[in-house]
Amino acid sequence: MPAPRQISIAVIGAGGVGKCFLSQLSQLASTLSRSSSIPTYLSLILLSTSKKSVHYADYKAISDWQSELQSSSSSPLSPKDLADYLSKAPGKPILVDNTSNQSIADSYPIFLENGVSIVTPNKKAFSSTYKLWTQIFAAAANGTGTGGYIFHESSVGAGLPVISTLKDLVETGDEIRRIEGVFSGTMSFLFNSFQPTSGGGGKFSAEVKTAKEKGFTEPDPRDDLNGLDVARKLTILARLAGLKIDSPTSFPVQSLIPKELENVGSGDEFLERLPEFDDRMEELKQGAEKEGKVVRFVGAVDVVKGEAKVGLEKFDKSHPIAALKGSDNIIAFYTKRYGDNPLIIQGAGAGGEVTAMGVTADLVKVIRLLQ
Amino acid sequence: MPAPRQISIAVIGAGGVGKCFLSQLSQLASTLSRSSSIPTYLSLILLSTSKKSVHYADYKAISDWQSELQSSSSSPLSPKDLADYLSKAPGKPILVDNTSNQSIADSYPIFLENGVSIVTPNKKAFSSTYKLWTQIFAAAANGTGTGGYIFHESSVGAGLPVISTLKDLVETGDEIRRIEGVFSGTMSFLFNSFQPTSGGGGKFSAEVKTAKEKGFTEPDPRDDLNGLDVARKLTILARLAGLKIDSPTSFPVQSLIPKELENVGSGDEFLERLPEFDDRMEELKQGAEKEGKVVRFVGAVDVVKGEAKVGLEKFDKSHPIAALKGSDNIIAFYTKRYGDNPLIIQGAGAGGEVTAMGVTADLVKVIRLLQ
């Protein structure tokens, strides 16, 4: 019987995704410790938010974390100190970054070079400068390096198998020609309500308000409406498909924030004044309606031409993008092997549980590779 | 710099999928040998069909295989001898089974116990007796054993990420409630032509003939129309979701072969007499049409009730299953986390290149795990 394996895990972030992840981690730890082939012990050795941090000397029941974090008086470690701490951990070290923090993302190469593996839904590391992208995959064992592994399924489409599928297509020698879809749960909900294929739908500003009330937008809805979230996801997919995209602002991205409201003080003031601009969106809606089409906010990468684009487009009502429901994402891969009918992946692309699921699935993959 | 890795590969089967796989393998071998982190050398040490076999003492350019196989005078090894040969190979051994052979499938436990990993699109191993299923995963390192790894993505939906997604859902603790879809490229093509959502479509027997002429059916179309291929795929998914399905004939499977034609001698005679029974299918079509629906051949697993079922069902014209195109497959996973809107995967579910792609992607995963 082989010796049991020991894995040391540090988790940063305990927000919506972080909470769900910790619950899934607790269940996974219990399953793996009872494995009949090679028992694996997952030790949570550190848990930290932007304000507080808890260190665990020994394995702890992961369910206790909330009260312990509350009563902790330790500040979080700097990324460099955290990398150092993890690389000296007793078991093989994994960092789970459940934040959307840029400075942690900037430090990924240091973690990887020190043999720390990373799983994360944080888009920032993969959609900022091309230089950071190169540094990360030059260090990673699943890039061209010999450091830790890095997996980031949930950085696009939450738990949907988008990144793993694209990697499989590329690694087995398929030619990616075009990737297109609805990459934002917020934008999906907004346009499926604004212009349902069955007709009707409210004014644009009213739908933005409803989306915010239902918790489908960021605290300031402009952070969704500026298109940057979609541009970041598209940057990641375009780079995986082989394009050297400089940054998420290096290609055309249509913002749905009226120029006049870009600089108003608060999200609330923005929402109050948005109705003044409803006519513009209404005109687009009616124009599409006359052609038997609907308006949707999509992203597309034309890999052959080397171009990416984010913004509004019109789709036939029978098109899968038009027929999307709720806040679902849809991603279509057009490739040489799949021909005219793309490989399509569809489903919830946001939400704590499904985002955490992508992180947990990545964690399982890294644990298998670390054996 | 770590030492280069050596992998020994035996490939059985050189038909439609086998040919495409060998071409993808050749490209993969070239990429991996140039890897800048850990170079990996893939050696094809044996290639065999049901009639002939070629052994390679050393690494060979994989492109030469066709003429060498033709001029070989060696017979194929028995599964037991092949397992023995592979377990003594210089590098870590992988068997790629591109056949649909039951007796090779029956021997998988022997290969796995001898430390040989397996990648395969062969449905037989996973959809025959539950006993064989149990033996395979009791031996495999990615089951509860300590032998070789086994991956079979292409046994359902060809290269579509169906099995890997279902495994991720289960391993991360989601509850699978229902799986439904169109699992056969042949049945998809047949019903999309027989009753398009836009109306029209030919007589059923005429569509079967067209499908056969286009190469979308088995040589004897009854091997598609009996529903067994779909039942096998559903058996695999149901078992992965946790149901103990005895065999693909232990749940209701509707055959589209008229009782009267079950025992006619040849596929040609069957096709000649099929028009006599067109009225029955026409009646179903008209019945569905009256309700604004279309008829499709689907499979469904109700995991909660522990039931599986294969056969004809009616769908609203706006339903994703009704709107399918060409010979595409669609698979919908209803789970606790995904709620009412399922996780959907759609695209070509048959064809040499996409099936081989699933096999090659599995091979890459096994190679990473064998490092």
Side-chain angles (χ1 to χ4, degrees):
Chain A
M1 187 115 175
R5 287 183 259 154
Q6 180 84 14
I7 304 278
S8 295
I9 298 179
V11 178
I12 330 181
V17 174
K19 274 198 188 78
C20 294
F21 171 77
L22 286 161
S23 153
Q24 293 180 18
L25 177 65
S26 164
Q27 196 182 337
L28 181 70
S30 155
T31 309
L32 290 181
S33 68
R34 293 191 317 262
S35 160
S36 51
S37 52
I38 310 173
T40 302
Y41 297 109
L42 303 188
S43 302
L44 180 66
I45 61 164
L46 182 140
L47 173 60
S48 127
T49 64
S50 57
K51 296 194 184 71
K52 289 188 168 193
S53 174
V54 191
H55 293 57
Y56 300 95
D58 285 312
Y59 174 81
K60 291 284 282 185
I62 293 168
S63 52
D64 299 341
W65 66 269
Q66 252 161 328
S67 59
E68 289 175 5
L69 199 56
Q70 208 138 36
S71 63
S72 165
S73 56
S74 306
S75 311
L77 296 174
S78 72
K80 211 180 154 303
D81 288 344
L82 181 57
D84 195 48
Y85 174 72
L86 266 167
S87 65
K88 288 173 185 152
K92 299 203 172 170
I94 302 177
L95 171 71
V96 181
D97 174 15
N98 284 328
T99 73
S100 57
N101 188 303
Q102 180 72 56
S103 79
I104 295 168
D106 288 339
S107 307
Y108 282 2
I110 299 174
F111 285 93
L112 294 167
E113 282 157 14
N114 279 283
V116 178
S117 293
I118 300 172
V119 298
T120 184
N122 185 349
K123 288 183 280 290
K124 299 276 168 65
F126 314 98
S127 62
S128 301
T129 64
Y130 191 71
K131 191 179 162 203
L132 179 58
W133 169 274
T134 311
Q135 285 172 336
I136 288 170
F137 290 101
N142 52 330
T144 57
T146 54
Y149 291 94
I150 185 159
F151 283 85
H152 55 105
E153 184 60 82
S154 284
S155 61
V156 179
L160 298 175
V162 176
I163 287 181
S164 52
T165 299
L166 178 52
K167 279 190 179 168
D168 281 353
L169 290 166
V170 171
E171 282 181 344
T172 62
D174 202 354
E175 276 171 38
I176 315 296
R177 291 175 174 167
R178 186 178 165 79
I179 304 170
E180 70 169 16
V182 173
F183 297 92
S184 153
T186 312
M187 291 294 200
S188 183
F189 179 83
L190 213 47
F191 283 88
N192 299 344
S193 319
F194 173 61
Q195 190 172 23
T197 49
S198 53
K203 296 278 177 201
F204 188 70
S205 63
E207 298 298 350
V208 173
K209 219 171 149 223
T210 307
K212 181 169 158 48
E213 282 160 12
K214 292 201 173 184
F216 283 131
T217 70
E218 297 292 325
D220 185 337
R222 284 176 295 185
D223 291 337
D224 294 297
L225 296 175
N226 63 14
L228 185 61
D229 171 71
V230 178
R232 285 194 178 277
K233 290 168 182 165
L234 215 58
T235 300
I236 298 174
L237 297 183
R239 285 175 178 173
L240 285 172
L243 297 186
K244 291 184 179 166
I245 302 282
D246 264 355
S247 81
T249 54
S250 64
F251 54 89
V253 177
Q254 183 178 4
S255 169
L256 299 186
I257 304 170
K259 269 245 164 308
E260 299 85 340
L261 300 185
E262 269 172 1
N263 299 314
V264 299
S266 69
D268 286 341
E269 192 185 340
F270 167 75
L271 271 182
E272 216 165 277
R273 292 195 49 198
L274 192 56
E276 300 169 25
F277 304 89
D278 272 338
D279 286 356
R280 298 182 192 171
M281 290 299 288
E282 205 56 29
E283 197 177 315
L284 286 173
K285 182 174 167 173
Q286 299 308 333
E289 190 67 46
K290 270 181 203 149
E291 300 175 47
K293 295 181 175 180
V294 292
V295 176
R296 294 291 183 263
F297 193 85
V298 296
V301 186
D302 185 325
V303 184
V304 182
K305 289 189 187 156
E307 293 170 357
K309 196 169 72 166
V310 169
L312 293 171
E313 275 185 44
K314 292 178 279 187
F315 291 89
D316 279 329
K317 289 182 178 179
S318 64
H319 194 285
I321 285 183
L324 217 54
K325 290 203 171 61
S327 60
D328 278 5
N329 283 192
I330 185 170
I331 295 98
F333 296 105
Y334 292 83
T335 78
K336 184 178 177 194
R337 288 187 195 137
Y338 278 90
D340 292 337
N341 292 355
L343 190 170
I344 292 174
I345 293 164
Q346 183 180 329
E353 282 291 349
V354 294
T355 306
M357 177 203 131
V359 180
T360 307
D362 279 350
L363 180 63
V364 172
K365 289 182 181 94
V366 171
I367 291 170
R368 288 220 176 97
L369 288 168
L370 286 177
Q371 73 189 350
Chain B
M1 187 115 176
R5 286 184 260 151
Q6 179 85 13
I7 305 277
S8 295
I9 297 178
V11 178
I12 331 182
V17 174
K19 276 198 186 78
C20 293
F21 170 77
L22 285 161
S23 152
Q24 293 180 19
L25 177 65
S26 164
Q27 196 183 337
L28 180 70
S30 154
T31 309
L32 290 181
S33 69
R34 293 190 318 261
S35 160
S36 52
S37 52
I38 310 173
T40 302
Y41 297 109
L42 303 187
S43 301
L44 180 66
I45 61 164
L46 181 140
L47 173 60
S48 129
T49 63
S50 56
K51 296 195 183 72
K52 288 187 170 191
S53 175
V54 191
H55 293 57
Y56 300 95
D58 285 313
Y59 174 80
K60 290 286 282 185
I62 293 168
S63 51
D64 299 340
W65 64 272
Q66 251 161 328
S67 59
E68 288 174 7
L69 200 55
Q70 207 139 37
S71 62
S72 164
S73 56
S74 305
S75 311
L77 295 175
S78 72
K80 211 181 155 305
D81 288 345
L82 181 57
D84 194 49
Y85 174 72
L86 266 167
S87 65
K88 289 175 185 151
K92 299 204 173 169
I94 302 177
L95 170 70
V96 182
D97 174 15
N98 284 327
T99 73
S100 56
N101 188 304
Q102 180 73 55
S103 79
I104 295 168
D106 288 340
S107 307
Y108 282 2
I110 300 174
F111 284 93
L112 294 166
E113 283 158 13
N114 279 284
V116 178
S117 293
I118 300 173
V119 298
T120 184
N122 186 349
K123 287 183 281 291
K124 300 276 169 67
F126 314 97
S127 62
S128 301
T129 64
Y130 190 70
K131 191 181 162 200
L132 179 58
W133 168 274
T134 310
Q135 286 172 336
I136 287 171
F137 291 101
N142 53 329
T144 56
T146 54
Y149 292 94
I150 186 158
F151 284 86
H152 56 103
E153 184 61 83
S154 284
S155 62
V156 179
L160 297 175
V162 176
I163 287 180
S164 52
T165 299
L166 178 53
K167 279 189 180 168
D168 282 352
L169 290 166
V170 171
E171 282 181 344
T172 61
D174 202 354
E175 275 172 39
I176 315 296
R177 290 174 174 167
R178 186 178 164 79
I179 305 170
E180 69 169 17
V182 172
F183 296 91
S184 153
T186 312
M187 291 294 200
S188 183
F189 178 84
L190 212 47
F191 282 88
N192 298 343
S193 319
F194 172 61
Q195 190 172 23
T197 49
S198 53
K203 296 279 176 198
F204 189 69
S205 62
E207 297 299 349
V208 174
K209 218 171 149 222
T210 307
K212 181 170 158 48
E213 282 161 10
K214 291 199 172 184
F216 283 130
T217 71
E218 297 293 324
D220 184 337
R222 285 176 295 184
D223 290 337
D224 293 297
L225 296 176
N226 64 13
L228 184 61
D229 171 71
V230 176
R232 284 194 178 277
K233 290 168 182 164
L234 214 59
T235 299
I236 297 173
L237 297 183
R239 286 175 177 173
L240 286 172
L243 298 186
K244 290 184 180 168
I245 302 282
D246 265 354
S247 79
T249 53
S250 63
F251 54 89
V253 177
Q254 183 179 4
S255 168
L256 299 185
I257 305 169
K259 270 246 164 305
E260 298 85 339
L261 300 185
E262 268 173 0
N263 298 313
V264 298
S266 69
D268 286 343
E269 192 185 341
F270 167 75
L271 271 182
E272 214 165 279
R273 292 195 49 199
L274 193 57
E276 300 168 25
F277 303 89
D278 273 337
D279 286 355
R280 298 181 191 171
M281 290 300 288
E282 204 58 28
E283 198 178 315
L284 286 173
K285 182 174 167 174
Q286 298 310 332
E289 190 67 46
K290 269 180 204 152
E291 300 175 46
K293 294 181 175 181
V294 293
V295 176
R296 295 292 184 261
F297 194 85
V298 297
V301 186
D302 185 324
V303 183
V304 181
K305 290 190 186 154
E307 293 170 355
K309 194 170 73 168
V310 169
L312 293 172
E313 276 185 43
K314 292 178 280 187
F315 291 89
D316 278 330
K317 289 183 178 178
S318 64
H319 194 286
I321 285 182
L324 217 55
K325 291 204 169 62
S327 59
D328 277 5
N329 284 192
I330 184 169
I331 296 97
F333 295 104
Y334 291 83
T335 79
K336 184 178 177 193
R337 287 188 194 135
Y338 279 90
D340 292 339
N341 292 355
L343 190 171
I344 293 175
I345 293 164
Q346 183 181 327
E353 282 291 349
V354 294
T355 306
M357 176 204 130
V359 179
T360 307
D362 278 350
L363 180 64
V364 171
K365 289 181 179 91
V366 171
I367 291 170
R368 288 218 177 98
L369 288 167
L370 287 177
Q371 74 191 351

